[in-house]
Amino acid sequence: MRNIKIYLLFFVSIFVVGSFSYLARSYQLDDALIYLRYIKNFQEGMGLVYNPGEKFNGLTSPLFSYIILLASFVFKDLQAATILVSSVLFSLSVIFSAKIFSKDLGAEILTVVVIGSFSFFYLTFGMETPLFLMLIGLSLYLYKIESIYVFIALTLLVITRSEGVFLAAVILIDYIIREKKLPKINIIVISIIIFSLPFMVNYYYYGDLLPATGSAKIGQGKSGLWGDGRIFLNVKYLIDWAFSGSYFSLLFNISFSFYGFLLLIKERIAIISVIFAVLLFSFYFILNIPNYHWYYAPFFYLLLIFSCKGIWEAFLILKNIKNDFTRTAGIFILISMVLISLSKTVSFDLKGGNDNYQKIGLWIKENTPKNASIAMVEIGTVGWYADRKIVDILGLVNKYNADHIGNREFFGWLTHYQPDYILRHQPVWPHEQSVLSLEVKKYYESVEKFKFAGFSLLKKTTQGSDLDIEKFAKNEKRTVGVLELMEKSSEIGAPYVMMEGQNLFAHAPSLMKYIIPDNSENIDVTYGLKEDAEGKHFGVCFEIIKASNGQTLMNDCINKQSKKIDFLKSKSLPLSINKGDALIFKTTCMASCDAAWAFWSLVKIY
């Protein structure tokens, strides 16, 4: 009978997860295609690298990388391989989730159906997330049944994602407290060997013990470009993704999850699960890690496990009510609520990759030289389809860039890389502010044949050599300090006057001052309006005034009829000013100040 129950549980899990995995068979997550490009290059004899000839470790998860690499020897279609691997791993994670707290088959099947049909998890396919969830579920289950092999599972968890160390630490501490001894020496030795293998591979193949992606994500958080405050709390989009925007479904699961936890509060494994969730959240919160959706998967996983426990126990209470009407009505209401909640978390519309990015990548492949290099900030899908050397401005697969982003040195990447092409968004994203300066200097110009709404492809011109671009970037890095001092001088603060990437946003009217540190004879300045002000503003004027005598050094306006192409201007002006004198930077409105989204950029005084 026990074997029949296990077979039935496997069947339900495979059926539910298999069905949704089939719907997600064309799904391509941008970051997942970074993994696949490493695997594709390996299979083509170029090594486990993102860009051929560049040994740089941008593989976040060593264990997941090796699993996909093994699967690639069996399946030539790498997309099919990664979806199949994700499906198998998630199916196992669903089975383990059902075995952690459930005590009968009905509760186990409920857990399998609820978690297996939760569409959010399929939006993580192609990443290491299904493996991470599976090993979380396996570790909790093995510890529940007091299997010493839990420490092997925990070791695999840590080399899947380093954050697994939080669950490993909690279980190890609890084991020592409970057993008053360390695990068996043979288990410790095996765990150390397994743990050491990825680091040895990293060191001997890439020259570094750790993948670069961890420090890159921390750098992204430090940069402030992913949002103000604690980015990890920006979860509104997750309610739309995971619960179809339904607060009923969200609150329903939270409520029953809390109830489920109260029922299990005396069980060590429940306490361990919650402590792990708190530590994991604290790690993301304190380090200000960007709110990428796959980071939230463990929280949803544990939430639904506890929720299903609460729902099933509520069902059993209702089932034992003696009054027929009350029992029937109660069970009907509970089942109705479960079905309503499921209707918000189940989706049969699991789409494929980003069509626009696919088309851009294919266009680049067909219209650029094979040896061309292209810089961009979202490298996964475009990089996969473009099949060109990619310069990742954010530094996930290239050296140096992540450190520059983390230090808010937005020109820093150009001191190391001068790509043949740059793909930027239109309007420009804050991450890409340095690109505007290259256009002003005419080091890069738009490719006219490239026609994709919301994007612009720039090609390097003959105006400057790679060395010229490098020197220009080094000089421009120094101008940020001028803008920051100008910002501090303003009596108006955010959101009307504030640094945005490399620019100082100064919604007109505004007035700022900069005190000259040395005798100076020239000033170079770039200024303009945000591109999305087109058709909305009523004209904005920019003035630079010498404070000591009121002399106007520059007065230029962008009028209401100006097109986007005229929204960014640059001037070099003669300046005779002594140390200690000040320059006043002023923006004014020609008529109404509505949409007067002005900014100063690249102020260099010498």
Side-chain angles (χ1 to χ4, degrees):
M1 184 66 179
R2 185 171 178 272
N3 288 339
I4 293 175
K5 288 183 177 180
I6 292 175
Y7 292 144
L8 180 59
L9 193 63
F10 267 89
F11 174 78
V12 174
S13 174
I14 291 170
F15 175 77
V16 174
V17 175
S19 298
F20 284 96
S21 297
Y22 178 77
L23 294 175
R25 65 192 182 278
S26 299
Y27 179 68
Q28 292 179 331
L29 182 58
D30 197 73
D31 282 51
L33 291 176
I34 297 175
Y35 278 113
L36 283 194
R37 181 157 152 155
Y38 273 87
I39 304 301
K40 182 179 73 170
N41 284 335
F42 182 88
Q43 291 290 26
E44 292 178 357
M46 292 179 282
L48 197 59
V49 295
Y50 187 83
N51 286 317
E54 297 179 3
K55 284 189 176 181
F56 184 79
N57 189 3
L59 295 168
T60 301
S61 172
L63 182 57
F64 182 71
S65 303
Y66 305 152
I67 291 174
I68 295 296
L69 185 59
L70 289 174
S72 71
F73 288 100
V74 180
F75 302 95
K76 291 185 178 180
D77 185 338
L78 294 180
Q79 167 69 13
T82 192
I83 294 297
L84 180 60
V85 168
S86 297
S87 178
V88 171
L89 293 171
F90 183 54
S91 183
L92 290 172
S93 74
V94 168
I95 292 170
F96 291 129
S97 73
K99 302 297 292 183
I100 296 171
F101 297 125
S102 302
K103 295 180 179 179
D104 54 59
L105 183 61
E108 291 176 348
I109 290 177
L110 173 67
T111 305
V112 165
V113 171
V114 170
I115 295 181
S117 62
F118 195 68
S119 299
F120 169 84
F121 291 126
Y122 297 91
L123 300 179
T124 68
F125 272 28
M127 297 290 289
E128 70 278 359
T129 306
L131 176 60
F132 195 56
L133 296 180
M134 188 274 286
L135 290 168
I136 290 173
L138 175 62
S139 299
L140 291 173
Y141 173 69
L142 290 176
Y143 196 58
K144 173 190 174 182
I145 64 175
E146 299 184 5
S147 170
I148 196 65
Y149 294 109
V150 64
F151 294 104
I152 304 296
L154 288 169
T155 304
L156 295 173
L157 178 68
V158 173
I159 65 173
T160 297
R161 284 197 72 91
S162 58
E163 297 95 307
V165 72
F166 298 118
L167 183 58
V170 175
I171 288 180
L172 178 60
I173 291 170
D174 185 74
Y175 178 87
I176 294 172
I177 292 172
R178 189 183 70 184
E179 301 293 334
K180 295 181 175 56
K181 64 178 182 180
L182 290 171
K184 293 180 179 178
I185 189 64
N186 60 328
I187 294 295
I188 294 176
V189 171
I190 293 172
S191 297
I192 291 174
I193 292 172
I194 293 173
F195 179 76
S196 301
L197 285 174
F199 295 99
M200 292 171 62
V201 171
N202 288 345
Y203 183 77
Y204 286 106
Y205 190 77
Y206 296 107
D208 293 299
L209 288 173
L210 298 172
T213 48
S215 58
K217 294 296 172 62
I218 293 172
Q220 290 176 5
K222 286 171 56 182
S223 73
L225 296 178
W226 275 256
D228 297 325
R230 291 296 165 182
I231 312 167
F232 205 69
L233 296 178
N234 297 337
V235 296
K236 173 62 173 67
Y237 80 98
L238 287 173
I239 300 173
D240 297 330
W241 285 27
F243 300 98
S244 303
S246 169
Y247 283 91
F248 166 79
S249 182
L250 174 64
L251 294 174
F252 174 81
N253 281 285
I254 290 176
S255 300
F256 275 98
S257 179
F258 182 70
Y259 176 55
F261 173 70
L262 290 179
L263 294 171
L264 297 163
I265 198 166
K266 293 183 179 180
E267 294 192 19
R268 303 175 82 97
I269 202 71
I271 301 297
I272 286 170
S273 300
V274 171
I275 293 175
F276 164 61
V278 170
L279 291 174
L280 185 63
F281 175 82
S282 300
F283 171 77
Y284 292 138
F285 177 79
I286 293 171
L287 291 182
N288 213 25
I289 302 296
N291 57 339
Y292 295 119
H293 71 273
W294 53 87
Y295 289 147
Y296 298 88
F299 303 108
F300 285 129
Y301 184 63
L302 294 173
L303 173 78
L304 294 177
I305 291 174
F306 282 111
S307 178
C308 289
K309 175 66 178 179
I311 292 169
W312 185 255
E313 293 300 324
F315 170 76
L316 293 180
I317 291 172
L318 293 171
K319 182 183 176 183
N320 291 325
I321 294 176
K322 293 182 179 180
N323 183 283
D324 291 344
F325 176 79
T326 304
R327 181 178 65 250
T328 303
I331 291 175
F332 175 78
I333 292 172
L334 179 62
I335 291 175
S336 298
M337 293 171 70
V338 170
L339 292 176
I340 292 171
S341 177
L342 279 174
S343 71
K344 302 301 181 181
T345 61
V346 174
S347 173
F348 297 98
D349 184 29
L350 296 172
K351 299 178 180 179
N354 186 314
D355 288 339
N356 214 16
Y357 280 170
Q358 287 183 17
K359 293 173 182 176
I360 289 173
L362 291 171
W363 191 97
I364 289 173
K365 183 176 182 178
E366 295 168 1
N367 294 275
T368 63
K370 192 172 181 61
N371 62 348
S373 58
I374 296 100
M376 62 191 77
V377 297
E378 290 191 311
I379 65 171
T381 305
V382 177
W384 173 260
Y385 287 97
D387 195 25
R388 295 290 182 269
K389 178 180 178 180
I390 300 298
V391 175
D392 178 15
I393 295 174
L394 303 183
L396 290 178
V397 297
N398 298 104
K399 289 183 180 180
Y400 313 116
N401 295 355
D403 291 335
H404 290 303
I405 286 290
N407 294 326
R408 296 184 62 85
E409 297 174 352
F410 303 117
F411 278 89
W413 70 279
L414 288 166
T415 63
H416 306 285
Y417 305 98
Q418 300 81 40
D420 300 308
Y421 295 86
I422 301 175
L423 176 68
R424 72 164 177 86
H425 291 79
Q426 192 171 346
V428 174
W429 281 10
H431 324 63
E432 306 162 333
Q433 290 298 321
S434 57
V435 179
L436 289 176
S437 309
L438 299 176
E439 293 179 76
V440 170
K441 294 291 289 185
K442 301 192 184 303
Y443 290 148
Y444 286 81
E445 63 184 8
S446 295
V447 177
E448 295 299 325
K449 293 190 301 179
F450 185 83
K451 304 290 185 182
F452 288 93
F455 294 89
S456 180
L457 183 66
L458 309 176
K459 182 179 180 180
K460 190 191 297 182
T461 68
T462 57
Q463 287 288 96
S465 65
D466 288 350
L467 184 59
D468 291 331
I469 295 173
E470 181 183 343
K471 288 180 177 178
F472 170 74
K474 288 179 178 178
N475 287 332
E476 299 315 309
K477 282 172 61 178
R478 303 188 187 105
T479 68
V480 178
V482 177
L483 296 175
E484 290 175 343
L485 289 172
M486 287 168 57
E487 178 191 22
K488 291 178 181 178
S489 74
S490 173
E491 295 181 358
I492 305 171
Y496 298 102
V497 173
M498 59 186 293
M499 290 296 296
E500 287 189 349
Q502 198 69 21
N503 295 335
L504 175 56
F505 176 65
H507 191 296
S510 68
L511 187 145
M512 289 166 288
K513 183 183 291 186
Y514 176 70
I515 298 174
I516 304 299
D518 296 295
N519 295 345
S520 302
E521 298 179 353
N522 298 280
I523 177 172
D524 294 344
V525 61
T526 300
Y527 54 96
L529 287 180
K530 288 188 173 182
E531 292 182 347
D532 46 0
E534 185 178 25
K536 300 176 184 178
H537 72 98
F538 295 86
V540 178
C541 294
F542 299 80
E543 284 186 81
I544 301 177
I545 303 167
K546 190 175 178 180
S548 59
N549 58 11
Q551 177 188 0
T552 298
L553 303 175
M554 185 194 86
N555 187 356
D556 191 23
C557 300
I558 299 175
N559 61 45
K560 183 178 180 180
Q561 290 74 33
S562 298
K563 300 298 182 183
K564 282 184 183 178
I565 195 172
D566 299 315
F567 273 22
L568 186 67
K569 296 189 175 185
S570 183
K571 290 186 182 296
S572 293
L573 306 169
L575 178 68
S576 179
I577 192 167
N578 297 323
K579 177 181 178 179
D581 203 346
L583 292 177
I584 296 172
F585 294 81
K586 186 177 180 182
T587 62
T588 55
C589 311
M590 295 177 69
S592 168
C593 283
D594 290 347
W597 301 325
F599 64 85
W600 297 96
S601 181
L602 309 181
V603 178
K604 184 167 60 173
I605 301 167
Y606 54 100

